[in-house]
């Protein structure tokens, strides 16, 4: 092979090599172009899934928010209210009457010092821990309850409205914890309890709605109770 032929052969080899290299580069570019749409489609699907998940999460959040609102509204309805005529209850650590007697009798709905120190006057509500709700009545002994017409009082033996129902009555109703064996002071208190009261307590609580407890009421203050307004 002459030098000229060698030169032509080298040029020919170089041209073939360049052509193959260009062909490979073109195929690679073509593959890359085909991969771009595929990648974009997956990205779109991921975006759509994300939007769906976002909508579901938002819907769940709204549902939870509505549920919380309902729970809060329910709790608000159960919160103790201020006493009002026709829906109120009076709890005392003393026996009850129309006038205070030092050491023995608290005046129903009274404002004297003895009554204030030994009694609570409440409205409608749920009281899951009577010890906390009625500390004055429990500090002495739980001995007297009075509540209006249109009011219902339910007392449970345990906290949070569990255990035995110890008391469940509708007003007007008065009950005092006179012991089975009464000394002179208790006998005098009972005479006043069953006598004619001054107005307006006589009209609110005539003798027919005044009761003597058949069991010791002292334990009633360790459970729970509900005061309910009747329609």
């Amino acid at each position: 092979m002459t030098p000229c032929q060698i030169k032509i052969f080298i040029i020919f080899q170089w041209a073939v090599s360049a052509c193959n290299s260009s062909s490979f580069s073109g195929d690679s570019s073509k593959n890359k172009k085909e991969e771009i749409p595929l990648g974009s489609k997956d990205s779109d699907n991921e975006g759509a899934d994300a939007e769906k998940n976002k909508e579901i999460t938002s819907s769940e959040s709204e549902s939870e928010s509505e549920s919380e609102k309902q729970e809060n509204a329910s709790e608000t309805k159960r919160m103790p209210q201020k006493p009002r005529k026709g829906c109120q209850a009076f709890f005392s650590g003393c026996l009850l009457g129309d006038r205070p007697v030092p050491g023995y009798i608290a005046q129903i709905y009274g404002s004297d010092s003895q009554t204030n120190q030994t009694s609570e006057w409440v409205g409608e509500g749920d009281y899951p821990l009577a010890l906390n709700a009625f500390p004055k009545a429990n500090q002495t002994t739980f001995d007297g309850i009075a509540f209006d017409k249109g009011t219902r009082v339910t007392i449970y033996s345990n906290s949070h409205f569990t255990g035995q129902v110890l008391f469940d009555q509708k007003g007007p109703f008065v009950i005092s914890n006179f012991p089975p064996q009464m000394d002179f002071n208790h006998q005098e208190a009972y005479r006043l309890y069953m006598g004619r009261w001054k107005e307006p307590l006589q009209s609110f609580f005539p003798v027919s709605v005044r009761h003597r407890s058949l069991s010791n009421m002292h334990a009633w203050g360790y459970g729970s109770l509900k005061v309910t307004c009747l329609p």
Side-chain angles (χ1 to χ4, degrees), residues 28-216:
S28 175
S29 176
K30 183 178 179 181
N31 289 337
K32 287 181 181 180
K33 287 180 181 179
E34 289 176 350
E35 290 173 1
I36 291 172
L38 290 174
S40 176
K41 186 175 180 180
D42 290 340
S43 178
D44 289 344
N45 288 338
E46 291 175 1
D49 290 340
E51 287 297 324
K52 287 181 181 179
N53 291 334
K54 186 177 180 181
E55 289 175 4
I56 292 171
T57 303
S58 176
S59 176
E60 290 175 349
S61 297
E62 289 175 3
S63 177
E64 289 173 359
S65 179
E66 288 299 322
S67 177
E68 288 175 357
K69 287 179 181 178
Q70 291 176 0
E71 289 178 3
N72 290 336
S74 178
E75 289 176 0
T76 301
K77 290 178 182 178
R78 296 193 301 268
M79 291 296 292
Q81 304 297 312
K82 292 182 178 180
R84 58 181 173 82
K85 187 177 180 180
C87 189
Q88 55 188 343
F90 184 83
F91 299 86
S92 182
C94 291
L95 303 172
L96 300 182
D98 64 334
R99 67 200 69 189
V101 174
Y104 277 92
I105 298 175
Q107 180 182 333
I108 298 173
Y109 304 145
S111 58
D112 60 281
S113 59
Q114 175 170 279
T115 300
N116 286 336
Q117 291 172 7
T118 61
S119 310
E120 276 91 12
W121 183 2
V122 302
E124 182 178 35
D126 291 354
Y127 302 86
L129 295 171
L131 274 171
N132 294 342
F134 309 102
K136 295 178 183 178
N138 279 298
Q139 187 176 5
T140 49
T141 51
F142 205 79
D143 282 320
I145 306 171
F147 46 99
D148 281 9
K149 179 180 180 180
T151 308
R152 178 180 180 180
V153 172
T154 307
I155 301 178
Y156 302 83
S157 60
N158 297 334
S159 63
H160 296 89
F161 322 112
T162 60
Q164 182 183 356
V165 176
L166 301 175
F167 179 86
D168 188 9
Q169 295 291 338
K170 298 176 182 179
F173 200 98
V174 183
I175 185 168
S176 282
N177 193 31
F178 290 98
Q181 301 296 324
M182 296 190 291
D183 58 23
F184 174 81
N185 288 326
H186 280 101
Q187 290 176 5
E188 181 62 17
Y190 187 72
R191 184 185 67 79
L192 296 174
Y193 181 69
M194 299 303 293
R196 182 171 181 82
W197 287 358
K198 63 184 180 181
E199 294 293 348
L201 292 177
Q202 176 64 32
S203 296
F204 290 165
F205 305 108
V207 176
S208 59
V209 304
R210 302 175 204 166
H211 304 270
R212 177 180 176 179
S213 178
L214 298 178
S215 62
N216 193 339

